[in-house]
Amino acid sequence: MSRADEEREQAGQLPEGDVVGMLLEQHARIRDLFTQVRAAHGDDRREAFDQLRVLLAVHETAEEMIVRPVAKKTAGAAEAEARNQEEAEANKVLAQLEKMDLESAEFERKFAEFERAVAEHADQEEREEFPAIRAGRSEDQLKQMGSSLRVAEATAPTHPHPTAAGKPAAQWAVGPFVSMVDRTRDAINAARSKH
């Protein structure tokens, strides 16, 4: 059983709308997309990478806004800050990858390093943050966090923005505006690619 399958199985054991279950499902999807990017070439690789980029940007922003403040209380400030720092670094690397030739040897090398770092980050969240959050919050609170996560994801940027990454206050301050710019840019690029 792959790690993604294990995450899906764990998520399936949690109540519908539980924030940890939602995050586990996203972790599984992120792992799947890494595999797709590695296996694909040309336009298929670009499409898979764009899906991965959007999911990572949205996922990390929403975690910083909704999960980290709770994790700070349940798992401890040092744990929450360590995850924020990892996300800030990942955001920088994702911004670099986004600008690279996806078929280059440099992309292959950097992408492999990035995949390892993201997997380690997810594993750490699943070992330390998620159990502490589940133990420190009621089922209703976990579902409310899930609802809040959905809202944050709907308004989160779709591209990496290293200046705000890892800083929940900055995400709240600039996230909605940056998201509007990102989503407009994405729509324009999609329309261009159809013509």
Coordinates of all heavy atoms in Angstrom, one line a residue, residues 19 22-23 26 54-69 143-158 168 171-172 174-180 182-183:
V19 N -11.4 18.4 9.7 CA -10.2 19.1 9.1 C -9.1 18.1 8.8 O -8.4 18.2 7.8 CB -9.8 20.3 9.9 CG1 -9.2 19.9 11.2 CG2 -8.9 21.2 9.1
M22 N -9.7 16.0 5.8 CA -9.5 16.8 4.6 C -8.1 17.0 4.2 O -7.7 16.8 3.1 CB -10.2 18.1 4.8 CG -11.7 18.0 4.9 SD -12.5 19.6 5.5 CE -12.1 20.7 4.1
L23 N -7.3 17.2 5.2 CA -5.8 17.5 5.0 C -5.1 16.2 4.6 O -4.2 16.2 3.7 CB -5.2 18.1 6.2 CG -5.6 19.5 6.6 CD1 -5.1 19.9 7.9 CD2 -5.3 20.5 5.5
Q26 N -5.8 15.6 1.0 CA -5.0 16.5 0.2 C -3.5 16.0 0.1 O -2.9 16.1 -0.9 CB -5.1 18.0 0.7 CG -6.4 18.6 0.5 CD -6.5 20.0 1.1 OE1 -5.6 20.5 1.7 NE2 -7.7 20.5 1.0
V54 N -1.0 24.6 -7.9 CA -2.2 25.2 -7.3 C -2.6 24.5 -6.0 O -2.9 25.2 -5.0 CB -3.4 25.1 -8.3 CG1 -4.7 25.5 -7.6 CG2 -3.2 26.0 -9.5
L55 N -2.6 23.2 -6.0 CA -2.9 22.5 -4.7 C -2.0 22.8 -3.6 O -2.4 23.1 -2.5 CB -3.0 21.0 -5.0 CG -3.3 20.1 -3.8 CD1 -4.6 20.5 -3.1 CD2 -3.4 18.6 -4.2
L56 N -0.7 22.9 -3.9 CA 0.3 23.2 -2.8 C 0.1 24.6 -2.3 O 0.1 24.9 -1.1 CB 1.7 23.0 -3.3 CG 2.2 21.5 -3.4 CD1 3.5 21.5 -4.1 CD2 2.3 20.9 -2.0
A57 N -0.1 25.6 -3.2 CA -0.2 27.0 -2.8 C -1.5 27.2 -2.0 O -1.4 27.8 -0.9 CB -0.3 27.9 -4.1
V58 N -2.6 26.6 -2.4 CA -3.8 26.7 -1.7 C -3.8 26.0 -0.4 O -4.2 26.5 0.7 CB -5.0 26.2 -2.6 CG1 -6.3 26.0 -1.8 CG2 -5.2 27.1 -3.8
H59 N -3.3 24.7 -0.4 CA -3.2 23.9 0.8 C -2.3 24.5 1.9 O -2.8 24.6 3.1 CB -2.6 22.5 0.4 CG -2.3 21.6 1.5 ND1 -3.3 20.8 2.1 CD2 -1.1 21.3 2.1 CE1 -2.7 20.1 3.0 NE2 -1.4 20.4 3.1
E60 N -1.2 25.0 1.5 CA -0.3 25.6 2.5 C -0.8 26.9 3.1 O -0.7 27.1 4.3 CB 1.1 25.8 1.9 CG 1.8 24.5 1.5 CD 2.0 23.4 2.5 OE1 1.8 23.7 3.7 OE2 2.4 22.3 2.2
T61 N -1.4 27.7 2.2 CA -2.0 28.9 2.7 C -3.1 28.7 3.7 O -3.1 29.3 4.8 CB -2.5 29.8 1.5 OG1 -1.4 30.1 0.7 CG2 -3.2 31.1 2.0
A62 N -4.0 27.8 3.4 CA -5.1 27.4 4.3 C -4.6 26.8 5.6 O -5.1 27.1 6.6 CB -6.1 26.5 3.6
E63 N -3.6 26.0 5.5 CA -3.0 25.4 6.7 C -2.5 26.5 7.6 O -2.7 26.5 8.8 CB -1.9 24.4 6.4 CG -2.3 23.0 6.1 CD -1.2 22.1 6.0 OE1 0.0 22.5 5.7 OE2 -1.5 20.9 6.2
E64 N -1.8 27.5 7.0 CA -1.2 28.5 7.8 C -2.3 29.4 8.5 O -2.1 29.9 9.6 CB -0.3 29.4 7.0 CG 1.0 28.7 6.6 CD 1.9 29.4 5.6 OE1 1.7 30.7 5.5 OE2 2.7 28.8 4.9
M65 N -3.4 29.6 7.8 CA -4.4 30.5 8.3 C -5.3 29.7 9.3 O -5.8 30.4 10.3 CB -5.3 31.0 7.1 CG -4.5 31.9 6.2 SD -5.4 32.2 4.7 CE -6.7 33.4 5.3
I66 N -5.6 28.5 9.1 CA -6.6 27.8 9.9 C -6.0 26.8 10.9 O -6.4 26.7 12.0 CB -7.7 27.0 9.0 CG1 -8.3 28.0 8.0 CG2 -8.7 26.3 9.8 CD1 -9.0 29.2 8.6
V67 N -5.1 26.0 10.4 CA -4.5 24.9 11.2 C -3.4 25.4 12.2 O -3.4 25.0 13.4 CB -4.0 23.8 10.3 CG1 -3.3 22.7 11.1 CG2 -5.1 23.2 9.4
R68 N -2.5 26.2 11.7 CA -1.4 26.6 12.6 C -1.7 27.3 13.9 O -1.1 27.0 14.9 CB -0.4 27.5 11.8 CG 0.5 26.8 10.8 CD 1.4 25.8 11.4 NE 1.3 24.5 10.8 CZ 1.4 24.3 9.5 NH1 1.8 25.2 8.7 NH2 1.2 23.1 9.0
P69 N -2.7 28.2 13.9 CA -3.1 28.8 15.1 C -3.6 27.8 16.2 O -3.2 27.9 17.4 CB -4.2 29.8 14.8 CG -3.9 30.2 13.4 CD -3.4 28.9 12.7
K143 N -14.9 19.9 12.7 CA -15.7 20.1 11.6 C -15.8 21.6 11.2 O -15.8 22.0 10.1 CB -17.1 19.5 11.8 CG -17.1 18.0 11.7 CD -18.5 17.5 11.9 CE -18.5 16.0 11.8 NZ -19.8 15.4 11.9
Q144 N -15.8 22.4 12.2 CA -15.8 23.9 12.0 C -14.5 24.3 11.4 O -14.5 25.1 10.4 CB -16.0 24.7 13.3 CG -16.0 26.2 13.1 CD -17.0 26.7 12.1 OE1 -18.1 26.3 12.1 NE2 -16.5 27.5 11.2
M145 N -13.4 23.7 11.8 CA -12.1 24.0 11.2 C -12.1 23.5 9.7 O -11.5 24.2 8.9 CB -11.0 23.3 12.0 CG -10.6 23.9 13.3 SD -9.3 22.9 14.1 CE -7.9 23.3 13.1
G146 N -12.8 22.4 9.5 CA -12.9 21.9 8.1 C -13.6 22.9 7.2 O -13.2 23.2 6.1
S147 N -14.7 23.5 7.8 CA -15.5 24.5 7.0 C -14.6 25.7 6.8 O -14.6 26.3 5.7 CB -16.8 24.9 7.8 OG -17.6 23.8 7.9
S148 N -13.9 26.1 7.8 CA -13.0 27.3 7.6 C -11.9 27.0 6.6 O -11.6 27.9 5.9 CB -12.4 27.7 9.0 OG -13.5 28.0 9.9
L149 N -11.4 25.8 6.6 CA -10.4 25.4 5.7 C -10.9 25.6 4.3 O -10.2 26.1 3.4 CB -9.9 24.0 6.0 CG -8.7 23.6 5.2 CD1 -7.4 24.1 5.8 CD2 -8.6 22.1 5.1
R150 N -12.1 25.1 4.0 CA -12.7 25.2 2.7 C -12.8 26.7 2.2 O -12.5 27.0 1.1 CB -14.1 24.6 2.6 CG -14.0 23.1 2.4 CD -15.5 22.6 2.1 NE -15.6 21.2 2.5 CZ -16.1 20.8 3.7 NH1 -16.5 21.7 4.6 NH2 -16.1 19.5 4.0
V151 N -13.2 27.5 3.1 CA -13.3 29.0 2.8 C -12.0 29.6 2.5 O -11.8 30.3 1.5 CB -14.0 29.7 3.9 CG1 -14.0 31.2 3.7 CG2 -15.5 29.3 4.1
A152 N -11.0 29.2 3.4 CA -9.6 29.8 3.1 C -9.1 29.3 1.8 O -8.4 30.0 1.1 CB -8.7 29.3 4.3
E153 N -9.3 28.0 1.5 CA -8.8 27.5 0.2 C -9.5 28.2 -1.0 O -8.9 28.4 -2.0 CB -9.1 26.0 0.1 CG -8.2 25.2 1.1 CD -8.5 23.7 1.2 OE1 -9.6 23.3 0.7 OE2 -7.7 23.0 1.7
A154 N -10.8 28.5 -0.9 CA -11.5 29.2 -2.0 C -10.9 30.6 -2.2 O -11.1 31.1 -3.3 CB -13.0 29.3 -1.6
T155 N -10.3 31.2 -1.3 CA -9.8 32.5 -1.4 C -8.2 32.6 -1.4 O -7.7 33.7 -1.4 CB -10.3 33.5 -0.3 OG1 -9.9 33.0 0.9 CG2 -11.8 33.6 -0.4
A156 N -7.6 31.4 -1.4 CA -6.1 31.4 -1.3 C -5.5 31.6 -2.7 O -6.1 31.3 -3.7 CB -5.7 30.0 -0.7
P157 N -4.3 32.2 -2.7 CA -3.5 32.3 -3.9 C -3.3 31.0 -4.6 O -3.2 29.9 -3.9 CB -2.2 32.9 -3.5 CG -2.5 33.6 -2.2 CD -3.6 32.7 -1.5
T158 N -3.2 31.0 -5.9 CA -2.9 29.7 -6.7 C -1.5 29.6 -7.2 O -1.1 28.7 -7.9 CB -3.9 29.7 -7.9 OG1 -3.7 30.8 -8.7 CG2 -5.3 29.6 -7.4
P168 N 1.2 33.5 9.0 CA -0.3 33.5 9.0 C -0.9 34.9 8.9 O -1.8 35.1 8.2 CB -0.6 32.7 10.2 CG 0.5 31.8 10.5 CD 1.7 32.6 10.0
Q171 N -0.7 36.1 5.5 CA -1.7 35.4 4.6 C -3.1 36.0 4.7 O -3.8 36.2 3.8 CB -1.7 33.9 5.0 CG -0.5 33.2 4.8 CD -0.1 32.9 3.3 OE1 -0.7 33.5 2.4 NE2 0.8 32.0 3.1
W172 N -3.4 36.4 6.0 CA -4.8 37.0 6.2 C -4.8 38.4 5.6 O -5.8 38.8 5.0 CB -5.1 37.1 7.7 CG -5.5 35.8 8.3 CD1 -4.8 34.9 9.0 CD2 -6.8 35.2 8.1 NE1 -5.6 33.8 9.4 CE2 -6.8 34.0 8.8 CE3 -8.0 35.6 7.5 CZ2 -7.9 33.2 8.9 CZ3 -9.1 34.8 7.6 CH2 -9.1 33.6 8.3
V174 N -2.8 39.8 3.0 CA -2.7 39.9 1.5 C -3.2 38.8 0.7 O -3.4 38.9 -0.5 CB -1.2 40.1 1.1 CG1 -0.6 41.3 1.8 CG2 -0.4 38.8 1.4
G175 N -3.5 37.7 1.3 CA -4.0 36.5 0.6 C -5.2 36.7 -0.3 O -5.1 36.4 -1.5
P176 N -6.3 37.4 0.1 CA -7.4 37.5 -0.8 C -7.1 38.4 -2.0 O -7.5 38.1 -3.1 CB -8.5 38.2 0.1 CG -8.1 37.7 1.5 CD -6.6 37.7 1.5
F177 N -6.3 39.4 -1.8 CA -6.0 40.3 -3.0 C -5.1 39.5 -3.9 O -5.3 39.5 -5.2 CB -5.3 41.6 -2.5 CG -4.8 42.4 -3.7 CD1 -5.7 43.1 -4.5 CD2 -3.5 42.4 -4.0 CE1 -5.2 43.8 -5.6 CE2 -3.0 43.1 -5.1 CZ -3.9 43.8 -5.9
V178 N -4.1 38.9 -3.4 CA -3.1 38.1 -4.2 C -3.9 37.0 -5.0 O -3.6 36.7 -6.1 CB -2.0 37.6 -3.4 CG1 -1.1 36.7 -4.2 CG2 -1.1 38.8 -2.9
S179 N -4.8 36.4 -4.3 CA -5.6 35.3 -4.9 C -6.4 35.8 -6.1 O -6.5 35.1 -7.1 CB -6.6 34.7 -3.8 OG -7.4 33.8 -4.4
M180 N -7.0 37.0 -5.9 CA -7.8 37.5 -7.0 C -6.8 37.7 -8.2 O -7.2 37.4 -9.4 CB -8.4 38.9 -6.6 CG -9.3 39.5 -7.6 SD -10.0 41.0 -7.0 CE -8.6 42.0 -6.6
D182 N -4.0 36.2 -8.9 CA -3.6 34.8 -9.4 C -4.7 34.2 -10.2 O -4.4 33.6 -11.3 CB -3.2 33.9 -8.2 CG -1.9 34.1 -7.6 OD1 -1.1 35.0 -8.1 OD2 -1.6 33.5 -6.6
R183 N -5.9 34.2 -9.7 CA -7.0 33.5 -10.4 C -7.3 34.2 -11.7 O -7.7 33.6 -12.7 CB -8.2 33.4 -9.4 CG -7.9 32.4 -8.3 CD -8.9 32.4 -7.2 NE -8.4 31.7 -6.0 CZ -8.6 30.4 -5.8 NH1 -9.3 29.7 -6.6 NH2 -8.1 29.9 -4.7

